[in-house]
Amino acid sequence: MAMEDTTDTGTTLMPSEKLLPWLKRAPLLPEAGAAGTPLVAVIMVICFLASLALAGFFAVSEAADDWTSDLRGSVTVQIKGQDAITIASDTGKAMEFLRDTDGVVAARALSREETVELLQPWLGTSNLPASLPVPGLIEMEVTPALRQNLDGLADDLAVAAPGAAIDDHSTWNDSLAASARTVQIFAFGVFALIMGAVCVVIIFATKAGLAANKEIVDVLHLVGATDRYIALEVQRRFLVLGLRGAMAGVILAAACIFVLVLAFGARIDAGYFLPDLSGGGGLFFYLLSVPLVTCLVAAWTARTTVLQTLAKRF
């Protein structure tokens, strides 16, 4: 049949054995030593840290998108006054004006209890006297066209309700975006440094493996093996070792994130100004990029190191 192959000894090779002969051959370097189990353990720890850095990067990214999108889509009207009666009167006037204004999609006046609840993270639950004239707040959604002309809306609103002022959250939104970008750059920088550490580890392991198997390399050269052939064999070996360590590290990191979500997820989500800690499928999908990048880095580094080392020896 077309999917089978028979060797000189009459042994029939299965399709999987025909497609993966490169990975099924015995390794050129031994399992033990610098290129064996210790290297897998080191790569596992490195990929564990890389996965946590990547998870932090995407957690901050998603949180920043949620924060800024909420701020971009809303406008707040604040009504100040010397007493609660004046504030309530100006709030009613502002609501009437906003209902009749083109471009205002929705407007809702917050109750005193809702406003006090917003102040609790700063003032506490028992530090706010009942006699304090808490400003009135109106949550408002506007069309993009009206948002471009908020100055004109603010002037008209000030005439209708003298104590009213509009806040479009632009300053707060810019500060959030800048802070999120800083954290993202830091997290991605950590991830890049960890991948650089993988390169350094593979370089030392490759040189140690070549030094420990110098006789094998010399014999291969005597029988006609080229530098590229030897580099391909070493590359295959470190690709397999990198895959083992990377998958172990990613699985360990995913398990730790899952445990953190179960133990502290709701508590962290209830906090203010903290990214949402969730173990959704999207995050674990991104974590799968860690083994891919690690294997590519390990294979490329091993191949380059072997070619450079053999070029100096032969």
Side-chain angles (χ1 to χ4, degrees):
M1 296 177 61
M3 295 297 295
E4 297 182 354
D5 187 18
T6 305
T7 63
D8 294 339
T9 59
T11 303
T12 301
L13 298 179
M14 300 302 295
S16 60
E17 294 176 336
K18 291 180 59 181
L19 295 175
L20 300 175
W22 187 60
L23 293 176
K24 296 175 73 67
R25 293 197 302 267
L28 179 64
L29 299 179
E31 286 281 354
T37 303
L39 180 61
V40 174
V42 171
I43 294 178
M44 180 187 70
V45 174
I46 290 177
C47 289
F48 172 77
L49 298 176
S51 299
L52 295 183
L54 193 63
F57 174 85
F58 284 106
V60 172
S61 298
E62 292 182 359
D65 290 340
D66 292 340
W67 292 335
T68 55
S69 62
D70 291 341
L71 292 178
R72 286 193 299 266
S74 64
V75 175
T76 300
V77 177
Q78 184 179 10
I79 298 93
K80 298 180 181 179
Q82 296 181 352
D83 53 66
I85 297 178
T86 303
I87 293 175
S89 175
D90 287 345
T91 301
K93 295 177 182 178
M95 286 295 297
E96 292 180 2
F97 173 79
L98 294 175
R99 290 193 185 101
D100 298 334
T101 301
D102 294 334
V104 177
V105 179
R108 185 180 75 89
L110 274 66
S111 64
R112 176 183 171 87
E113 291 74 15
E114 291 175 313
T115 306
V116 170
E117 185 178 354
L118 294 176
L119 297 175
Q120 286 182 359
W122 290 271
L123 301 180
T125 57
S126 59
N127 298 329
L128 198 63
S131 60
L132 181 68
V134 178
L137 293 178
I138 298 176
E139 292 181 346
M140 182 174 58
E141 295 183 9
V142 299
T143 61
L146 181 59
R147 192 175 184 87
Q148 300 298 324
N149 188 30
L150 286 180
D151 292 338
L153 177 64
D155 294 338
D156 296 338
L157 182 61
V159 174
I166 292 180
D167 182 9
D168 64 349
H169 313 295
S170 59
T171 302
W172 182 238
N173 187 26
D174 294 340
S175 299
L176 276 178
S179 300
R181 284 194 298 269
T182 301
V183 176
Q184 288 173 336
I185 292 173
F186 175 78
F188 188 79
V190 171
F191 180 80
L193 287 176
I194 292 175
M195 289 298 104
V198 172
C199 291
V200 174
V201 170
I202 295 299
I203 289 173
F204 280 102
T206 303
K207 290 184 176 181
L210 290 177
N213 297 274
K214 181 176 179 298
E215 293 80 5
I216 298 177
V217 175
D218 292 341
V219 170
L220 288 174
H221 263 282
L222 289 175
V223 299
T226 63
D227 291 351
R228 291 185 177 275
Y229 173 82
I230 299 175
L232 185 63
E233 291 296 312
V234 176
Q235 174 184 337
R236 176 182 68 89
R237 183 68 190 135
F238 280 99
L239 179 64
V240 174
L241 293 176
L243 181 61
R244 292 179 187 173
M247 289 303 299
V250 169
I251 292 174
L252 181 61
C256 290
I257 294 173
F258 183 73
V259 171
L260 287 175
V261 170
L262 291 180
F264 306 106
R267 193 177 309 171
I268 293 177
D269 293 346
Y272 292 90
F273 312 120
L274 293 176
D276 181 15
L277 180 62
S278 62
L283 174 60
F284 296 118
F285 175 78
Y286 287 121
L287 290 181
L288 293 178
S289 64
V290 175
L292 176 61
V293 175
T294 303
C295 290
L296 293 177
V297 169
W300 177 82
T301 304
R303 179 180 180 86
T304 304
T305 303
V306 171
L307 291 176
Q308 292 178 352
T309 303
L310 295 181
K312 295 178 181 179
R313 286 181 52 189
F314 299 97

